[in-house]
């Protein structure tokens, strides 16, 4: 066997076809695998053209049927899951950019997906195992029903969604950088078998390997090889206590954090051994190596306080760390550790350190409230450490850096506007939504604090998620303009002003407001007792409470400096692109469902779909299943009937030209497909009543 390092570009170009043999399992990557690959790719793309990422090996064997002429067929003995995933991603990029960058789309076809001068199935650079071929060929050939519900279709729609999320209209080259990272910056070891090798035996041996060494294992071995006379003492007094206080995964993260805190904002967690080895090679002797391990031990002690705030001895700082822990986002770890190091060194007292951590918390909470996606947040907070440099990481300095260009630190006005219109219930993750509501409740500062840890509080919709006749009649009295009660309900139901916390969610259910008032009035939460003081609960009350909660939020979470960009934040269309990219072939949704998910109204949704090139726009119909009379293809030269396109994709229509209600995706289903954190069981339970 012959091994050599290569790139995907070198592997896929030329007249070579890669065939996955029968004994390989079908394509099986799940969401977690796709997310990890995508995060690695985004990191490489963000780090510039010189960055690289080791993806693993691909073991190939020449097909026994090869001849000197024609396409050379290689059997993929190992690595087919990675190779298939990357090919699906290239296919998704091609389709994403086709309207805006036809040249890049053609390049992907010609260089990576097709063998230009071949015929039949030999035209396809990759042929998955037989079970996956029909789905894969549909993607390649852009068949109407491509991107279905199987694993290949799921992966394709995942990549269409994340591409829509990272596509910055202000940066025309961002998707090109992703394509370049995939084809030129992923390092792959190509292992080519000899024609006489037993291919199946190679496959068996590759799937009976032992547990690989972790990055931390490799680093530890390297360090103690550099300590020939002091290894036992340093291991017993420094490394062993460090190792026992953290899991392997936490230890690897600590070693990565050490790189970030040194100013390396391009450090990746999958290459920490190589990066640290290069850095530590500059240390000259055992004394320096031992000192570095001692310093890492000190950082491990502080890092454990970030991970387990109860281990922090100072009560003020302990509360600040506990709040960040409840936010449940690993992106805060670099700046949190930097602040703790400054506090331990005497550069910040406990109150100053807590204020600094509150600014970081505020940056994350405000972005969530206004609906800014998490893409890029990790990069911003990593860069924050580098941009602070030697400055004391206090609240003022952190605020200054986070208020810089393209950081998107929402202003007070951004928050006030978003609270009234944004769909808060499907923003962020469940623990983060609960965190915001808990902090708002704690700000009432009543004498008997609620035991949040012991109580089983969930988010309550005061105006219920599904309309009963009583609630519909109430909204009918309040509607203005052309809004129906259902449309007014969709505008209000998931906004912050209509949400609270309760342990009686199932008991409250869809009861009328009078019945809910009795339960809310006896609540231990001040926000619920405040709601119970209202005589009725309609649009005016929900918006009034939203405005009051916005002002309370502005007091809790400090805003950016005056240098922050005041341009209105408009995440709705960004989210709509993501949502529509997830609709599989053979399914459709309605304008009102899309509007509910993104926190808008169906009229601007329809206007946007008719004026901007958006994936799957033709899969959005009226709630009845009719094509809207106002529907227009964004391409003015296109005149075909969207029903014809939908039928080819698998949507059924009745004699009146209405799409099958069974194939409609509801707002809840759309949100789940788009990976929004939706409480699906609760929503389905309410809708069944």
């Amino acid at each position: 066997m012959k091994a050599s390092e290569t790139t995907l570009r070198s592997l896929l170009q030329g007249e070579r076809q890669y065939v996955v043999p029968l004994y390989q399992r079908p394509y099986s990557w799940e969401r977690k695998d796709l997310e990890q690959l995508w995060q690695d790719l985004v990191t490489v793309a963000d780090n510039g053209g010189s960055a690289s990422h080791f993806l693993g090996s691909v073991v190939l064997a020449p097909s026994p049927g090869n001849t000197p002429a024609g396409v050379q067929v290689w059997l993929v003995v190992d690595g087919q899951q990675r190779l298939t995933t990357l090919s699906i991603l290239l296919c998704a990029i091609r389709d994403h950019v086709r309207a805006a960058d036809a040249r890049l789309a053609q390049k992907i076809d010609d260089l990576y997906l097709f063998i230009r001068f071949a015929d039949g199935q030999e035209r396809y650079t990759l042929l998955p195992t037989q079970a996956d071929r029909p789905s894969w060929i549909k993607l390649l050939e852009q068949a109407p029903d491509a991107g279905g519900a199987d694993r290949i279709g799921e992966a394709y729609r995942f990549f269409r969604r994340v591409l829509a999320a990272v596509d910055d209209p202000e940066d025309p080259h961002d998707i090109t950088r992703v394509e370049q990272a995939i084809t030129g910056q992923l390092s792959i070891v190509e292992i080519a078998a000899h024609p006489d090798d037993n291919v199946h035996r190679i496959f068996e041996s590759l799937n009976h390997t032992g547990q690989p060494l972790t990055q931390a294992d490799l680093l530890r071995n390297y360090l103690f090889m550099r300590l020939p006379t002091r290894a036992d003492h340093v291991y017993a007094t420094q490394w062993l206590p460090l190792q026992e206080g953290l899991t392997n995964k936490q230890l690897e993260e600590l070693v990565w954090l050490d790189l970030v805190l040194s100013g390396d904002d391009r450090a990746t967690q999958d290459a920490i051994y190589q990066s640290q080895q290069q850095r530590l090679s500059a240390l000259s002797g055992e004394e320096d190596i031992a000192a570095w391990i001692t310093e890492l031990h000190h950082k491990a002690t502080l890092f454990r306080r970030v991970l387990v705030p109860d281990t922090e001895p100072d009560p003020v700082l302990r509360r600040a760390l506990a709040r960040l822990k409840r936010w449940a986002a690993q992106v805060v770890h670099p700046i949190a550790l930097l602040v703790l190091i400054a506090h331990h060194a005497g550069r910040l007292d406990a109150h100053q350190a807590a204020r600094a951590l509150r600014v970081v918390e505020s940056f994350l909470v405000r972005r969530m409230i206004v609906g800014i996606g998490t893409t890029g947040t990790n990069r911003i907070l990593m860069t924050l450490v580098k941009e602070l440099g030697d400055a004391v990481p206090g609240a003022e300095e952190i605020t200054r850096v986070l208020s810089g260009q393209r950081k998107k630190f929402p202003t007070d006005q951004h928050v006030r506007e978003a609270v009234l219109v944004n769909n808060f219930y499907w923003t962020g993750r469940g623990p983060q939504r609960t965190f915001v509501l808990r902090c708002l409740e704690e700000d009432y500062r009543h004498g008997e604090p609620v035991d949040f840890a012991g109580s089983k509080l969930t988010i309550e919709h005061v105006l219920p998620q599904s309309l009963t006749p009583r609630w519909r009649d109430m909204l009918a009295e309040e509607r203005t303009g052309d809004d129906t009660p259902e449309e007014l309900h969709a505008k209000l139901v998931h906004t912050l002003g209509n949400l609270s916390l309760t342990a009686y969610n199932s008991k409250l259910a869809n009861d009328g407001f009078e019945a809910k008032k009795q339960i809310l009035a006896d609540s231990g939460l001040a926000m619920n007792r405040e709601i119970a003081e209202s005589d009725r609960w309609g649009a005016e009350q929900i918006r009034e409470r939203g405005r009051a909660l916005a002002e309370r939020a502005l007091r809790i979470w400090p805003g950016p400096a005056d240098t922050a960009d005041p341009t209105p934040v408009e995440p709705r269309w960004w989210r709509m692109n993501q949502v529509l990219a997830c609709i599989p072939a053979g399914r459709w949704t309605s304008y009102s469902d899309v509007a509910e998910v993104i926190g808008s109204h169906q009229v601007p949704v329809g206007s946007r779909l008719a004026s901007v090139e958006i994936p799957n726009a033709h899969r959005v119909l009226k709630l009845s299943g009719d094509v809207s009379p106002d529907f227009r293809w964004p391409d003015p030269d296109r005149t075909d009937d969207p029903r014809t396109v939908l039928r080819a994709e698998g949507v059924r229509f009745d004699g009146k030209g209405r799409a099958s209600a069974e194939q409609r995706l509801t707002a809840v289903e759309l949100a789940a497909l788009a990976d929004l954190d939706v409480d699906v069981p609760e929503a389905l339970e309410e809708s069944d009543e």
Side-chain angles (χ1 to χ4, degrees):
M1 299 176 73
K2 178 183 177 183
S4 59
E5 187 171 354
T6 187
T7 63
L8 193 66
R9 178 183 295 130
S10 299
L11 196 68
L12 297 182
Q13 285 188 31
E15 293 190 340
R16 301 214 309 177
Q17 184 181 54
Y18 300 96
V19 176
V20 180
L22 277 170
Y23 54 76
Q24 291 274 28
R25 68 183 186 275
Y27 182 68
S28 59
W29 268 30
E30 300 176 353
R31 175 66 60 86
K32 59 182 176 57
D33 305 306
L34 300 172
E35 288 174 344
Q36 183 59 61
L37 174 65
W38 179 251
Q39 288 304 318
D40 292 339
L41 277 171
V42 169
T43 301
V44 171
D46 285 346
N47 288 346
S50 60
S52 64
H53 170 75
F54 178 63
L55 190 64
S57 60
V58 176
V59 180
L60 306 170
S63 171
N66 280 342
T67 62
V71 173
Q72 297 299 297
V73 177
W74 290 82
L75 303 179
V76 185
V77 181
D78 190 55
Q80 65 109 344
Q81 300 287 334
R82 289 187 295 272
L83 192 58
T84 303
T85 304
L86 292 172
S87 297
I88 294 170
L89 175 50
L90 286 169
C91 201
I93 292 175
R94 177 198 68 180
D95 296 344
H96 178 82
V97 303
R98 184 173 301 282
D101 192 346
R103 184 175 180 180
L104 176 57
Q106 191 63 50
K107 169 188 170 184
I108 292 172
D109 267 348
D110 290 347
L111 296 185
Y112 311 127
L113 300 179
F114 291 90
I115 300 171
R116 190 169 183 182
F117 298 108
D119 298 315
Q121 289 202 347
E122 285 191 345
R123 331 177 31 232
Y124 308 125
T125 302
L126 172 70
L127 269 183
T129 193
Q130 277 85 342
D132 292 326
R133 285 181 192 175
S135 179
W136 172 235
I137 291 172
K138 285 178 182 180
L139 283 184
L140 288 175
E141 301 289 2
Q142 302 169 69
D145 56 344
D150 62 351
R151 282 287 171 84
I152 283 184
E154 288 175 4
Y156 173 78
R157 285 183 282 110
F158 169 84
F159 288 129
R160 288 299 302 267
R161 176 176 65 80
V162 294
L163 286 166
V166 301
D167 195 349
D168 185 352
E170 299 177 10
D171 185 353
H173 304 298
D174 51 353
I175 302 300
T176 302
R177 284 197 295 274
V178 173
E179 179 267 330
Q180 291 171 345
I182 297 165
T183 59
Q185 294 173 254
L186 294 180
S187 175
I188 301 170
V189 172
E190 177 188 358
I191 303 173
H194 188 272
D196 296 331
D197 289 336
N198 186 321
V199 174
H200 189 67
R201 186 59 57 86
I202 295 171
F203 176 76
E204 287 182 334
S205 67
L206 287 167
N207 286 277
H208 287 83
T209 55
Q211 185 70 22
L213 292 174
T214 67
Q215 298 277 307
D217 292 333
L218 294 169
L219 180 64
R220 182 194 62 233
N221 295 348
Y222 170 78
L223 288 168
F224 286 96
M225 283 192 297
R226 296 279 306 272
L227 293 170
T229 65
R230 304 183 58 180
D232 290 345
H233 175 73
V234 173
Y235 182 83
T237 60
Q238 301 296 332
W239 188 271
L240 184 60
L242 178 161
Q243 187 171 271
E244 290 177 339
L246 301 171
T247 66
N248 279 340
K249 187 174 181 181
Q250 291 167 349
L251 178 54
E252 287 193 356
E253 186 184 358
L254 173 64
V255 178
W256 170 75
L257 286 169
D258 180 68
L259 289 167
V260 175
L261 296 185
S262 71
D264 185 358
D265 63 338
R266 300 184 181 278
T268 59
Q269 293 195 41
D270 66 305
I272 53 176
Y273 169 63
Q274 291 91 338
S275 300
Q276 285 286 19
Q277 184 188 37
Q278 183 178 2
R279 183 170 164 233
L280 294 170
S281 64
L283 301 181
S284 57
E286 290 189 68
E287 189 69 32
D288 290 342
I289 294 290
W292 185 86
I293 295 175
T294 301
E295 180 62 23
L296 190 69
H297 182 189
H298 169 62
K299 289 175 181 172
T301 302
L302 299 180
F303 183 43
R304 180 160 172 76
R305 296 177 187 178
V306 174
L307 298 170
V308 188
D310 286 346
T311 59
E312 168 55 50
D314 187 279
V316 173
L317 202 44
R318 184 165 63 246
R319 284 193 296 272
L321 289 169
R323 289 172 67 95
L324 282 181
K325 174 73 173 178
R326 292 204 307 270
W327 182 254
Q330 202 172 341
V331 294
V332 303
H333 289 173
I335 186 62
L337 182 55
L338 183 69
V339 169
L340 287 192
I341 290 171
H343 167 63
H344 193 269
R347 303 174 77 195
L348 293 170
D349 64 32
H351 289 277
Q352 290 170 329
R355 283 185 60 229
L357 295 178
R358 180 62 65 90
V359 173
V360 178
E361 177 188 317
S362 175
F363 178 74
L364 296 171
V365 171
R366 284 182 174 231
R367 284 166 63 94
M368 175 200 165
I369 289 174
V370 304
I372 297 174
T374 57
T375 302
T377 307
N378 185 54
R379 181 79 184 144
I380 290 172
L381 294 183
M382 278 180 64
T383 306
L384 169 63
V385 172
K386 183 177 182 179
E387 291 184 67
L388 286 168
D390 294 329
V392 177
E396 291 75 15
E397 279 297 307
I398 292 176
T399 300
R400 177 188 63 79
V401 175
L402 290 179
S403 302
Q405 188 178 16
R406 296 179 66 85
K407 296 291 197 299
K408 296 184 180 179
F409 195 163
T411 65
D412 291 359
Q413 189 59 29
H414 291 151
V415 173
R416 290 189 180 103
E417 293 171 355
V419 164
L420 296 181
V421 299
N422 277 16
N423 184 335
F424 180 82
Y425 186 60
W426 289 340
T427 301
R429 296 295 177 188
Q432 295 166 349
R433 297 192 292 267
T434 304
F435 172 84
V436 171
L437 287 165
R438 172 176 172 175
C439 291
L440 291 169
E441 169 63 26
E442 289 173 336
D443 191 62
Y444 283 85
R445 303 180 188 279
H446 37 75
E448 297 179 337
V450 176
D451 177 15
F452 286 97
S455 57
K456 297 181 179 179
L457 297 173
T458 59
I459 294 179
E460 158 69 9
H461 291 75
V462 185
L463 170 66
Q465 293 192 66
S466 56
L467 277 176
T468 63
R470 186 183 309 175
W471 283 101
R472 183 181 288 105
D473 292 343
M474 185 272 296
L475 290 178
E477 298 171 3
E478 296 195 343
R479 64 192 182 94
T480 58
D482 296 329
D483 280 348
T484 65
E486 288 76 14
E487 289 165 352
L488 184 57
H489 172 264
K491 281 184 180 181
L492 299 169
V493 66
H494 297 311
T495 60
L496 185 59
N498 187 52
L499 304 178
S500 187
L501 293 172
T502 179
Y504 300 103
N505 198 295
S506 59
K507 187 175 180 181
L508 290 164
N510 292 336
D511 284 344
F513 187 59
E514 285 302 318
K516 287 193 172 190
K517 276 182 62 171
Q518 298 179 24
I519 298 174
L520 295 173
D522 291 334
S523 172
L525 276 67
M527 66 166 63
N528 289 340
R529 297 194 298 272
E530 188 176 73
I531 292 171
E533 294 173 1
S534 299
D535 295 329
R536 66 197 310 276
W537 197 253
E540 181 182 345
Q541 290 74 30
I542 291 172
R543 288 168 179 151
E544 181 181 349
R545 179 170 180 260
R547 284 188 282 268
L549 290 179
E551 296 306 316
R552 194 176 290 277
L554 297 179
R555 291 196 301 272
I556 298 170
W557 293 291
D562 293 339
T563 55
D565 186 359
T567 305
V569 178
E570 184 53 271
R572 291 178 298 172
W573 306 136
W574 165 82
R575 174 170 285 184
M576 185 168 78
N577 290 355
Q578 285 187 277
V579 168
L580 297 191
C582 297
I583 302 177
R587 304 298 297 272
W588 64 278
T589 191
S590 73
Y591 294 99
S592 56
D593 288 312
V594 174
E596 183 175 345
V597 174
I598 70 173
S600 182
H601 186 273
Q602 57 180 320
V603 172
V605 166
S607 299
R608 179 80 176 179
L609 292 178
S611 59
V612 178
E613 184 77 29
I614 296 173
N616 298 332
H618 65 287
R619 295 175 181 170
V620 184
L621 307 174
K622 295 176 67 176
L623 192 58
S624 61
D626 290 301
V627 174
S628 170
D630 298 323
F631 175 81
R632 300 288 184 276
W633 296 106
D635 180 356
D637 296 327
R638 187 169 183 182
T639 59
D640 50 327
D641 187 342
R643 291 183 189 86
T644 303
V645 179
L646 289 167
R647 283 194 183 96
E649 294 175 351
V651 176
R652 301 184 300 274
F653 286 85
D654 63 18
K656 295 181 179 179
R658 292 175 177 171
S660 168
E662 295 177 353
Q663 294 176 295
R664 171 187 156 227
L665 292 169
T666 65
V668 170
E669 292 168 328
L670 273 179
L673 277 176
D675 203 28
L676 304 181
D677 195 6
V678 183
D679 189 355
V680 177
E682 174 190 331
L684 292 179
E685 179 184 344
E686 288 192 3
S687 65
D688 288 340
E689 294 182 359

